[in-house]
mmCIF file of all heavy atoms in Angstrom:
data_model
loop_
_atom_site.group_PDB
_atom_site.id
_atom_site.type_symbol
_atom_site.label_atom_id
_atom_site.label_comp_id
_atom_site.label_asym_id
_atom_site.label_seq_id
_atom_site.Cartn_x
_atom_site.Cartn_y
_atom_site.Cartn_z
ATOM 1 N N ALA B 439 -53.090 -96.967 40.529
ATOM 2 C CA ALA B 439 -52.647 -95.988 39.540
ATOM 3 C C ALA B 439 -51.131 -96.035 39.468
ATOM 4 O O ALA B 439 -50.479 -96.619 40.333
ATOM 5 C CB ALA B 439 -53.114 -94.592 39.933
ATOM 6 N N ASP B 440 -50.548 -95.382 38.461
ATOM 7 C CA ASP B 440 -49.101 -95.429 38.311
ATOM 8 C C ASP B 440 -48.370 -94.644 39.383
ATOM 9 O O ASP B 440 -47.205 -94.899 39.678
ATOM 10 C CB ASP B 440 -48.702 -94.914 36.914
ATOM 11 C CG ASP B 440 -48.806 -96.034 35.879
ATOM 12 O OD1 ASP B 440 -49.470 -97.044 36.179
ATOM 13 O OD2 ASP B 440 -48.216 -95.901 34.796
ATOM 14 N N ALA B 441 -49.032 -93.654 39.964
ATOM 15 C CA ALA B 441 -48.429 -92.913 41.068
ATOM 16 C C ALA B 441 -49.454 -92.853 42.190
ATOM 17 O O ALA B 441 -50.660 -92.891 41.944
ATOM 18 C CB ALA B 441 -48.055 -91.497 40.631
ATOM 19 N N SER B 455 -44.011 -90.774 43.168
ATOM 20 C CA SER B 455 -43.563 -92.000 42.519
ATOM 21 C C SER B 455 -42.087 -92.189 42.814
ATOM 22 O O SER B 455 -41.347 -91.218 43.014
ATOM 23 C CB SER B 455 -43.797 -91.865 41.011
ATOM 24 O OG SER B 455 -43.194 -92.917 40.312
ATOM 25 N N ASP B 457 -38.660 -94.621 41.460
ATOM 26 C CA ASP B 457 -38.271 -95.529 40.396
ATOM 27 C C ASP B 457 -36.765 -95.564 40.155
ATOM 28 O O ASP B 457 -36.064 -94.586 40.414
ATOM 29 C CB ASP B 457 -38.961 -95.127 39.091
ATOM 30 C CG ASP B 457 -39.527 -96.341 38.393
ATOM 31 O OD1 ASP B 457 -38.731 -97.123 37.843
ATOM 32 O OD2 ASP B 457 -40.752 -96.516 38.420
ATOM 33 N N GLU B 477 -39.336 -92.160 33.834
ATOM 34 C CA GLU B 477 -40.337 -93.110 34.324
ATOM 35 C C GLU B 477 -41.177 -92.459 35.435
ATOM 36 O O GLU B 477 -42.402 -92.583 35.457
ATOM 37 C CB GLU B 477 -39.650 -94.379 34.834
ATOM 38 C CG GLU B 477 -40.525 -95.330 35.635
ATOM 39 C CD GLU B 477 -41.562 -96.103 34.809
ATOM 40 O OE1 GLU B 477 -41.365 -96.219 33.582
ATOM 41 O OE2 GLU B 477 -42.554 -96.562 35.388
ATOM 42 N N CYS B 478 -40.508 -91.758 36.328
ATOM 43 C CA CYS B 478 -41.258 -91.078 37.398
ATOM 44 C C CYS B 478 -42.192 -90.030 36.809
ATOM 45 O O CYS B 478 -43.356 -89.920 37.200
ATOM 46 C CB CYS B 478 -40.297 -90.400 38.378
ATOM 47 S SG CYS B 478 -39.651 -91.505 39.612
ATOM 48 N N SER B 480 -43.440 -90.007 33.912
ATOM 49 C CA SER B 480 -44.517 -90.698 33.207
ATOM 50 C C SER B 480 -45.575 -91.181 34.193
ATOM 51 O O SER B 480 -46.774 -91.066 33.936
ATOM 52 C CB SER B 480 -43.962 -91.891 32.431
ATOM 53 O OG SER B 480 -43.010 -91.464 31.490
ATOM 54 N N ASN B 481 -45.128 -91.747 35.306
ATOM 55 C CA ASN B 481 -46.082 -92.194 36.317
ATOM 56 C C ASN B 481 -46.932 -91.023 36.795
ATOM 57 O O ASN B 481 -48.142 -91.152 37.003
ATOM 58 C CB ASN B 481 -45.352 -92.828 37.500
ATOM 59 C CG ASN B 481 -44.767 -94.194 37.156
ATOM 60 O OD1 ASN B 481 -45.214 -94.847 36.230
ATOM 61 N ND2 ASN B 481 -43.758 -94.602 37.898
ATOM 62 N N LEU B 482 -46.285 -89.886 36.979
ATOM 63 C CA LEU B 482 -47.023 -88.703 37.424
ATOM 64 C C LEU B 482 -48.031 -88.251 36.365
ATOM 65 O O LEU B 482 -49.178 -87.906 36.673
ATOM 66 C CB LEU B 482 -46.040 -87.564 37.737
ATOM 67 C CG LEU B 482 -45.687 -87.345 39.212
ATOM 68 C CD1 LEU B 482 -45.356 -88.634 39.902
ATOM 69 C CD2 LEU B 482 -44.572 -86.331 39.393
ATOM 70 N N CYS B 484 -49.591 -89.971 34.300
ATOM 71 C CA CYS B 484 -50.737 -90.887 34.239
ATOM 72 C C CYS B 484 -51.839 -90.514 35.230
ATOM 73 O O CYS B 484 -52.988 -90.897 35.047
ATOM 74 C CB CYS B 484 -50.291 -92.324 34.491
ATOM 75 S SG CYS B 484 -49.414 -93.031 33.091
ATOM 76 N N LEU B 565 -54.871 -97.005 36.514
ATOM 77 C CA LEU B 565 -54.214 -97.665 35.393
ATOM 78 C C LEU B 565 -55.134 -98.702 34.751
ATOM 79 O O LEU B 565 -54.909 -99.152 33.636
ATOM 80 C CB LEU B 565 -52.882 -98.266 35.825
ATOM 81 C CG LEU B 565 -52.834 -99.474 36.755
ATOM 82 C CD1 LEU B 565 -52.844 -100.761 35.945
ATOM 83 C CD2 LEU B 565 -51.548 -99.437 37.580
ATOM 84 N N HIS B 629 -51.606 -95.616 31.671
ATOM 85 C CA HIS B 629 -50.535 -96.456 32.204
ATOM 86 C C HIS B 629 -49.345 -96.301 31.280
ATOM 87 O O HIS B 629 -49.498 -96.326 30.060
ATOM 88 C CB HIS B 629 -51.016 -97.908 32.239
ATOM 89 C CG HIS B 629 -50.079 -98.849 32.951
ATOM 90 N ND1 HIS B 629 -49.258 -98.481 34.001
ATOM 91 C CD2 HIS B 629 -49.854 -100.189 32.781
ATOM 92 C CE1 HIS B 629 -48.571 -99.531 34.434
ATOM 93 N NE2 HIS B 629 -48.919 -100.574 33.710
ATOM 94 N N ASP B 630 -48.153 -96.130 31.828
ATOM 95 C CA ASP B 630 -46.995 -96.025 30.939
ATOM 96 C C ASP B 630 -46.493 -97.419 30.602
ATOM 97 O O ASP B 630 -46.709 -98.379 31.336
ATOM 98 C CB ASP B 630 -45.897 -95.146 31.544
ATOM 99 C CG ASP B 630 -45.168 -95.840 32.666
ATOM 100 O OD1 ASP B 630 -45.853 -96.479 33.487
ATOM 101 O OD2 ASP B 630 -43.940 -95.748 32.739
ATOM 102 N N ILE B 631 -45.851 -97.517 29.458
ATOM 103 C CA ILE B 631 -45.302 -98.807 29.038
ATOM 104 C C ILE B 631 -43.903 -98.931 29.623
ATOM 105 O O ILE B 631 -43.020 -98.142 29.316
ATOM 106 C CB ILE B 631 -45.274 -98.907 27.502
ATOM 107 C CG1 ILE B 631 -46.723 -98.909 26.987
ATOM 108 C CG2 ILE B 631 -44.529 -100.162 27.061
ATOM 109 C CD1 ILE B 631 -46.833 -98.954 25.488
ATOM 110 N N ALA B 632 -43.753 -99.901 30.519
ATOM 111 C CA ALA B 632 -42.445 -100.070 31.159
ATOM 112 C C ALA B 632 -42.074 -101.548 31.118
ATOM 113 O O ALA B 632 -42.161 -102.160 30.044
ATOM 114 C CB ALA B 632 -42.499 -99.514 32.574
ATOM 115 N N GLU B 633 -41.715 -102.129 32.244
ATOM 116 C CA GLU B 633 -41.272 -103.524 32.277
ATOM 117 C C GLU B 633 -42.337 -104.437 31.652
ATOM 118 O O GLU B 633 -43.509 -104.358 31.984
ATOM 119 C CB GLU B 633 -40.987 -103.964 33.714
ATOM 120 C CG GLU B 633 -39.656 -103.447 34.259
ATOM 121 C CD GLU B 633 -39.747 -102.035 34.797
ATOM 122 O OE1 GLU B 633 -40.876 -101.535 34.941
ATOM 123 O OE2 GLU B 633 -38.681 -101.441 35.064
ATOM 124 N N SER B 639 -47.782 -104.197 29.873
ATOM 125 C CA SER B 639 -48.555 -103.075 30.393
ATOM 126 C C SER B 639 -50.035 -103.241 30.079
ATOM 127 O O SER B 639 -50.899 -102.929 30.903
ATOM 128 C CB SER B 639 -48.038 -101.759 29.814
ATOM 129 O OG SER B 639 -46.713 -101.547 30.257
ATOM 130 N N GLU B 642 -51.521 -105.487 32.555
ATOM 131 C CA GLU B 642 -51.729 -104.795 33.833
ATOM 132 C C GLU B 642 -53.003 -103.946 33.802
ATOM 133 O O GLU B 642 -53.754 -103.887 34.770
ATOM 134 C CB GLU B 642 -50.507 -103.939 34.184
ATOM 135 C CG GLU B 642 -49.304 -104.775 34.599
ATOM 136 C CD GLU B 642 -48.001 -103.974 34.716
ATOM 137 O OE1 GLU B 642 -47.999 -102.762 34.391
ATOM 138 O OE2 GLU B 642 -46.995 -104.570 35.108
HETATM 139 MG MG1 LIG E 802 -45.261 -96.936 35.798
#
Side-chain angles (χ1 to χ4, degrees):
Chain B
D440 276 17
S455 171
D457 225 287
E477 168 72 21
C478 277
S480 300
N481 288 338
L482 260 47
C484 286
L565 70 90
H629 188 30
D630 74 317
I631 294 178
E633 283 83 11
S639 296
E642 288 170 356

